[in-house]
Amino acid sequence: RKEVEQDPGPFNVPEGATVAFNCTYSNSASQSFFWYRQDCRKEPKLLMSVYSSGNEDGRFTAQLNRASQYISLLIRDSKLSDSATYLCASLEYGNKLVFGAGTILRVKS
Amino acid sequence: DVKVTQSSRYLVKRTGEKVFLECVQDMDHENMFWYRQDPGLGLRLIYFSYDVKMKEKGDIPEGYSVSREKKERFSLILESASTNQTSMYLCASSLNGYNEQFFGPGTRLTVL
């Protein structure tokens, strides 16, 4: 079983839709979590950190559910420019970030 | 803004060649990382370093070595390149072990 798992998608949604991704992690000792965005042929860029109390930044909301060991990313009012691959990551012991394989989002007009 | 740069965006090498990939960060970060990214497999950690001259193996270190002689520079070395090392190589840095990582633009390496 992979340490961090994501639905690869693609999620095809119309502009203005709300879309949510989940990401499960296997290491219950993981303390910190992140969502990264990666555009085609570009490097991953930090979208947001995920805190225990949840984290909201404009149209983006990240949640952590420790009991079920998953994190989620909610995108409201999707824009064409949100089309990208979204990577979740958990911080493991020894400063290692473990990444999921990514979820592809395509927002269509 | 944190800036992480990598020596090449695209590189083509032949099987058996020695390959050097260099990474430089300008924010005095303690930790530096080398990943490879392949379709369907995501980012996989090759090596990382939390201090000058220190290195730790990641999940897939076989066939690679690293060097960190200066804090800002972290090099990945393929001693004898093989075709299965064709991949996108991404360098990253973080302030310490609890912070987010910042990535360089990546080097797309093709080994023929």
Side-chain angles (χ1 to χ4, degrees):
Chain A
R1 183 188 169 189
K2 290 183 181 176
E3 293 178 62
V4 177
E5 291 199 69
Q6 296 181 251
D7 182 342
F11 285 60
N12 295 301
V13 303
E15 272 187 292
T18 295
V19 61
F21 312 131
N22 279 348
C23 169
T24 59
Y25 60 94
S26 61
N27 186 351
S28 59
S30 296
Q31 292 298 311
S32 300
F33 303 89
F34 305 92
W35 281 103
Y36 281 79
R37 172 199 168 119
Q38 186 173 26
D39 294 296
C40 189
R41 296 187 175 274
K42 300 278 190 177
E43 73 274 22
K45 292 188 177 175
L46 182 70
L47 181 63
M48 57 199 314
S49 303
V50 186
Y51 305 126
S52 296
S53 56
N55 189 16
E56 187 172 322
D57 183 4
R59 297 182 293 109
F60 298 84
T61 300
Q63 297 278 355
L64 167 62
N65 185 317
R66 285 199 183 276
S68 300
Q69 292 187 203
Y70 73 87
I71 63 172
S72 63
L73 178 67
L74 181 79
I75 305 174
R76 289 180 295 275
D77 189 22
S78 299
K79 313 289 184 194
L80 293 175
S81 56
D82 293 335
S83 298
T85 298
Y86 291 84
L87 306 171
C88 66
S90 76
L91 187 63
E92 308 280 323
Y93 175 78
N95 307 337
K96 291 169 53 175
L97 262 185
V98 179
F99 286 86
T103 297
I104 297 170
L105 173 65
R106 295 182 185 142
V107 182
K108 313 237 175 191
S109 58
Chain B
D1 270 359
V2 175
K3 193 162 184 189
V4 182
T5 57
Q6 295 184 227
S7 49
S8 306
R9 292 300 303 271
Y10 299 94
L11 210 51
V12 179
K13 296 290 182 181
R14 297 204 175 276
T15 302
E17 280 193 87
K18 191 168 186 176
V19 182
F20 292 90
L21 302 182
E22 291 218 306
C23 174
V24 178
Q25 51 92 4
D26 67 356
M27 285 302 290
D28 203 34
H29 281 179
E30 299 289 333
N31 295 356
M32 297 187 74
F33 307 83
W34 274 107
Y35 296 88
R36 63 177 283 177
Q37 186 174 30
D38 301 286
L41 296 176
L43 283 151
R44 291 180 292 166
L45 182 64
I46 304 172
Y47 266 98
F48 67 104
S49 168
Y50 52 87
D51 202 351
V52 175
K53 297 192 186 293
M54 305 299 287
K55 60 184 179 185
E56 293 282 344
K57 291 181 180 178
D59 300 316
I60 50 163
E62 297 78 19
Y64 303 95
S65 61
V66 290
S67 172
R68 194 165 180 203
E69 296 297 317
K70 293 185 178 180
K71 191 175 186 180
E72 67 271 19
R73 190 179 298 268
F74 192 34
S75 302
L76 180 70
I77 303 144
L78 287 67
E79 294 289 341
S80 177
S82 62
T83 54
N84 62 13
Q85 292 179 309
T86 291
S87 187
M88 168 70 94
Y89 288 87
L90 288 154
C91 175
S93 73
S94 67
L95 179 62
N96 56 41
Y98 303 99
N99 292 89
E100 64 269 23
Q101 294 179 17
F102 297 88
F103 285 84
T107 296
R108 190 166 292 277
L109 172 67
T110 301
V111 182
L112 302 174

